[in-house]
Amino acid sequence: IADAAVLRSFASMAYNNFDTHLSTILFEQTLIQSKIPFDIIFDENLKDLSKWRVLVLANQESLSEEQIALIREYVKNGGGLVATENTSLYDEWRRRRPKYGLADLFGFEKPEEAHKTMNFYGDGRVVYLPKIEPAPDAKYAATSGTGYRDIPPAQWKLPANWNELVEAVEWACGGNLSLKVYAPLTVVAELLMKTDKTRMMLHLVNFDNNALGDLNVDLRIPFERKIREVMLLSPDFEEKIPLKFNEVGDRIFFKVPKLIIYDLILVQLE
C-alpha cells in the first residue's frame, strides 16, 4: 500500500548527477522516517498514476512535454502533486525552458518568482516548495565532477525542513493518508495488503537501542470492509497479543503496547 509515488525521471537524474539525486534522496528519507507509505517510480509509470494519491517531483528538472501533459492530466483528475526546486524548468535534453513547464500548476512562471504555493488545479491539489534544506550538520561537497556517489548513506539525514515536506504530502492527498504511526523518527513502517485482500500487514522496525511502548496507530481500511481482529506478533516476545481497536468511518485506531526491535501487526478483514 503506497500513498505517494516518488519519480526518478531518467533525464533529470542522468543530466544533473548531484542536485537531483540529493533532493530525491532527502525527500525519500523524509518519507521513510515519517512512515508515509510510498513507491519509487520511473518514466514509464507516468502513463498510469491511478494507484497513487500523490506524485512527488523532488527537483525533477528535465521533463518532456509528453510527461508534463501526463502529470497535468493526473492532477486535473484529482491527483495530488508535490514539486520542488527546478522541477520542469528543462526539457528532456536539459534545454532550459523560458518558464516552468508546470507553471500553470505552480502559479508562477520563472525561478526568480519561485515561492511556496498551495494550489487547487482541476480536482487535484498542488504544492510547490522552492527548497529542500539539508540538515545543518550534513556535509555535501558539490564541486565540478561531483556525482550522486558523493552523497554517502551516512549523510542521508533528514532535511532541516522535513516537517514542511510531510505537511505538503499530507495536504496534497487531502489529509487522508493510509497510515499514521505516532512513534519516534527511529521507527520505520511498511504497510502491505494480501493479494486476496483478506489481511493487512503492518511491519514496524525500531532502529533505536531503547524499547518503546504505547505507540498509537491510525490506519485507513478499504472501503466498506469490516475488521475481524487485530493481532500483534513479534520474535522479540513469545505471546501473541490481541489489540483492541476503535473504528471511526473508514479508519481504525489502536495502540501497540511494545516495540523492541520488530513487530508485525495483522489486521484480519471480513
Side-chain angles (χ1 to χ4, degrees):
I1 296 175
D3 291 318
V6 179
L7 176 67
R8 285 174 168 257
S9 79
F10 176 81
S12 296
M13 307 299 272
Y15 293 141
N16 183 344
N17 216 356
F18 184 82
D19 295 316
T20 56
H21 287 262
L22 180 60
S23 295
T24 302
I25 287 169
L26 294 183
F27 211 123
E28 289 170 354
Q29 189 67 22
T30 296
L31 295 175
I32 291 168
Q33 292 193 248
S34 301
K35 296 163 276 293
I36 295 177
F38 75 99
D39 286 331
I40 294 172
I41 66 169
F42 304 95
D43 295 322
E44 60 269 23
N45 299 115
L46 289 175
K47 296 177 181 178
D48 183 9
L49 293 167
S50 59
K51 174 183 175 182
W52 300 283
R53 304 170 68 211
V54 180
L55 174 64
V56 174
L57 304 177
N59 203 15
Q60 296 299 289
E61 47 182 44
S62 300
L63 300 173
S64 69
E65 289 297 326
E66 179 185 3
Q67 291 174 320
I68 287 173
L70 290 169
I71 293 167
R72 185 181 288 113
E73 190 67 14
Y74 165 73
V75 178
K76 184 178 179 181
N77 291 331
L81 175 67
V82 178
T84 75
E85 297 148 303
N86 288 331
T87 290
S88 79
L89 188 59
Y90 300 85
D91 69 9
E92 68 272 31
W93 296 106
R94 205 169 189 264
R95 295 174 298 198
R96 181 162 172 159
R97 293 185 167 99
K99 64 179 182 180
Y100 290 101
L102 293 168
D104 53 332
L105 278 69
F106 297 165
F108 51 82
E109 295 187 347
K110 299 180 179 181
E112 56 267 26
E113 303 168 351
H115 60 280
K116 180 179 179 179
T117 59
M118 301 172 72
N119 299 322
F120 292 96
Y121 183 86
D123 293 330
R125 298 179 175 213
V126 180
V127 181
Y128 172 85
L129 299 172
K131 183 69 175 175
I132 297 177
E133 302 171 13
D137 60 339
K139 299 177 181 178
Y140 308 115
T143 59
S144 177
T146 297
Y148 65 88
R149 291 183 179 84
D150 296 296
I151 313 172
Q155 297 300 318
W156 295 0
K157 299 182 179 183
L158 280 175
N161 62 332
W162 69 269
N163 271 313
E164 190 175 34
L165 306 186
V166 172
E167 290 169 358
V169 172
E170 290 182 339
W171 187 83
C173 80
N176 194 22
L177 292 172
S178 294
L179 175 69
K180 290 186 178 182
V181 180
Y182 298 91
L185 292 170
T186 50
V187 174
V188 298
E190 183 179 32
L191 182 62
L192 302 171
M193 172 75 80
K194 287 193 67 175
T195 53
D196 62 7
K197 299 188 184 301
T198 61
R199 177 182 288 173
M200 301 175 75
M201 295 160 285
L202 174 60
H203 302 271
L204 297 176
V205 180
N206 179 22
F207 284 90
D208 197 349
N209 291 323
N210 300 310
L212 302 170
D214 292 334
L215 306 179
N216 289 303
V217 177
D218 172 358
L219 179 63
R220 186 159 58 91
I221 301 300
F223 183 64
E224 292 186 344
R225 299 301 295 272
K226 297 295 183 182
I227 308 302
R228 182 183 302 170
E229 67 176 5
V230 179
M231 187 71 67
L232 170 61
L233 298 87
S234 175
D236 299 322
F237 45 84
E238 293 183 1
E239 72 275 20
K240 296 180 180 179
I241 303 176
L243 303 180
K244 295 180 180 180
F245 59 91
N246 295 317
E247 296 184 70
V248 181
D250 64 347
R251 308 195 72 89
I252 65 168
F253 303 86
F254 58 88
K255 192 183 296 288
V256 178
K258 54 183 173 179
L259 172 60
I260 301 173
I261 297 174
Y262 167 70
D263 281 355
L264 169 62
I265 295 99
L266 300 178
V267 180
Q268 192 69 35
L269 304 173
E270 294 287 358

